[in-house]
Amino acid sequence: MSILVAGGAGYIGSVTVERLSRAGHKVVVYDNLSRGHREAVPNQVTFVQGDIADSATLEKALREHKVDAVMHFCAHSQVGESVKEPFMYYQNNVQNGINLLGAMLRCDVKQFIFSSTAAVFGEPDAIPITEETAQHPTNPYGRTKWMFEQILRDCSDAHGLRSISLRYFNACGATELCGEDHTPETHLIPIVLDVAAGKRESLGIFGRDYPTQDGTCIRDYVHVSDLADAHIKALEALGKGAATNIYNLGNGQGFSVLEVVQAAEEVTSRKIPCINSPRRAGDPARLVASSDRIREELHWNPQIADLRRIIETAWKWKLEHPNGYGSAPAAAKDRFAS
Ligand code: UDP
């Protein structure tokens, strides 16, 4: 199949591109490089530098490469930033997303895989969180993703554009070639590893008074390559005629911030100094997924579920890329298509 991966130069997008290429699909990465990295896209993969707000460039790419399906990763995704800059989030995640759907419909491309998030749930009523758990997002980021899920349902009913929304819990880890490199970095595991690597003095723990066993927030950490595999399974399902659907994607196990720090200390054999910081706006206390639906319906089975193994992959990537993609070995991006 010919797949346009919007946001394919970003963290989860680039790992999915790696998997799609290995599975023999023709891949077109479409990315404006505002937050992604050109170095994360292998030379063998077609790259179009474009914005999803730009209908003409989008339609040209969809037609020229005879695209069968679109995967959409190019959203803003930081909770704190979304609280400070809500307009930017609604514009990119909702308005530009609608623009992408419009371009697809004009080009008669009707299969879509959407990067959604556990942030659609807000503070959940019960754990583990199923697809039916009530959704009350607590920050603009979560609200943009929740809105787009509704738009996709309506678009499916009205226009037959079938989609699968994948609600990621906490994406983490790395493959041999692709890892996490955000500026600024806000995610827990890369920050913890920066401290271990001596690039930061300490980790600020955002709140120690949550109603959890050690007072720190609990999250469900899921390896990025397992997320990528879920996209391949979703693509196959759509190819076989699956109806529009939504799946949670997590390991079903929760770890507190302090447990992540401890695991990282074990993996790196280094001390990770921590300081207490105020709570971060919009952070729910506990987010742990039930992924039973995707396990049963699409036979998704995470391969790297152990927290230490996940951190090991991220640590290896960090050691090999001390300055992120800027320090990638020159030959690395040529390797994976073979
Ligand atoms: N966190 C923290 N210090 C940091 C970054 C994150 O204590 O420097 C906490 C954050 O409050 C949350 C958890 O780590 O409870 C995971 O945060 P992350 O930003 O990685 O993912 P999120 O859950 O926001 O998607």
Side-chain angles (χ1 to χ4, degrees):
M1 283 175 87
S2 174
I3 320 294
L4 184 130
V5 183
Y11 172 44
I12 305 171
S14 62
V15 175
T16 306
V17 168
E18 195 182 330
R19 282 286 189 279
L20 283 167
S21 301
R22 284 205 170 122
H25 294 289
K26 180 170 178 276
V27 181
V28 180
V29 169
Y30 188 94
D31 200 301
N32 66 6
L33 296 181
S34 66
R35 300 198 175 185
H37 304 274
R38 182 65 184 88
E39 298 86 348
V41 182
N43 290 333
Q44 301 89 331
V45 169
T46 305
F47 177 76
V48 177
Q49 184 163 357
D51 196 296
I52 54 166
D54 175 356
S55 301
T57 307
L58 257 180
E59 285 183 38
K60 184 168 179 284
L62 291 168
R63 288 186 210 283
E64 197 169 298
H65 300 286
K66 298 185 171 47
V67 168
D68 301 299
V70 171
M71 293 188 179
H72 176 32
F73 294 90
C74 46
H76 294 327
S77 63
Q78 292 170 21
V79 168
E81 182 182 60
S82 80
V83 175
K84 289 185 190 126
E85 301 274 358
F87 189 67
M88 182 170 99
Y89 272 67
Y90 287 107
Q91 187 154 37
N92 193 38
N93 295 6
V94 181
Q95 190 173 324
N96 294 349
I98 290 173
N99 200 55
L100 172 58
L101 296 178
M104 286 175 62
L105 287 173
R106 287 190 293 279
C107 297
D108 202 31
V109 180
K110 292 193 168 178
Q111 296 179 48
F112 189 72
I113 296 174
F114 175 56
S115 302
S116 191
T117 171
V120 299
F121 294 106
E123 194 74 62
D125 306 333
I127 297 288
I129 300 168
T130 70
E131 286 77 3
E132 268 64 52
T133 297
Q135 291 133 47
H136 305 293
T138 50
N139 53 65
Y141 167 58
R143 278 189 279 276
T144 63
K145 293 287 183 170
W146 180 85
M147 283 177 192
F148 209 73
E149 287 186 0
Q150 315 311 308
I151 291 166
L152 287 174
R153 285 240 180 256
D154 292 339
C155 198
S156 175
D157 292 345
H159 305 299
L161 191 155
R162 288 176 297 120
S163 63
I164 292 183
S165 296
L166 300 172
R167 290 178 179 149
Y168 313 149
F169 281 61
N170 285 64
C172 49
T175 65
E176 214 176 296
L177 300 177
C178 301
E180 209 165 353
D181 179 5
H182 300 115
T183 307
E185 187 53 78
T186 62
H187 293 111
L188 179 64
I189 290 179
I191 289 178
V192 163
L193 295 181
D194 273 348
V195 178
K199 292 185 71 182
R200 293 175 191 243
E201 274 183 16
S202 59
L203 169 76
I205 296 183
F206 296 152
R208 297 198 62 155
D209 57 350
Y210 284 95
T212 60
Q213 78 272 8
D214 62 20
T216 65
C217 287
I218 291 179
R219 295 288 182 271
D220 182 333
Y221 294 91
V222 53
H223 196 272
V224 65
S225 64
D226 286 322
L227 293 181
D229 282 347
H231 288 74
I232 308 280
K233 295 205 178 293
L235 183 72
E236 287 167 358
L238 285 177
K240 288 181 192 150
T244 291
N245 211 337
I246 296 177
Y247 295 105
N248 289 351
L249 279 183
N251 275 316
Q253 230 190 324
F255 293 96
S256 72
V257 174
L258 290 179
E259 285 172 329
V260 170
V261 170
Q262 193 190 341
E265 288 189 333
E266 285 168 24
V267 167
T268 62
S269 306
R270 300 188 188 179
K271 183 86 196 120
I272 296 165
C274 295
I275 55 169
N276 295 338
S277 297
R279 286 185 177 197
R280 185 171 65 177
D283 262 347
R286 191 187 297 260
L287 291 173
V288 180
S290 159
S291 301
D292 290 353
R293 187 191 274 180
I294 191 164
R295 285 172 186 268
E296 281 160 24
E297 293 183 9
L298 302 190
H299 311 293
W300 179 67
N301 188 17
Q303 300 297 301
I304 311 181
D306 177 72
L307 180 63
R308 278 161 195 74
R309 272 201 65 211
I310 291 175
I311 294 176
E312 268 167 28
T313 65
W315 181 231
K316 185 167 184 285
W317 197 83
K318 178 131 334 234
L319 292 177
E320 287 171 4
H321 304 78
N323 297 312
Y325 279 101
S327 53
K333 62 185 176 140
D334 291 325
R335 261 185 283 161
F336 76 63
S338 57

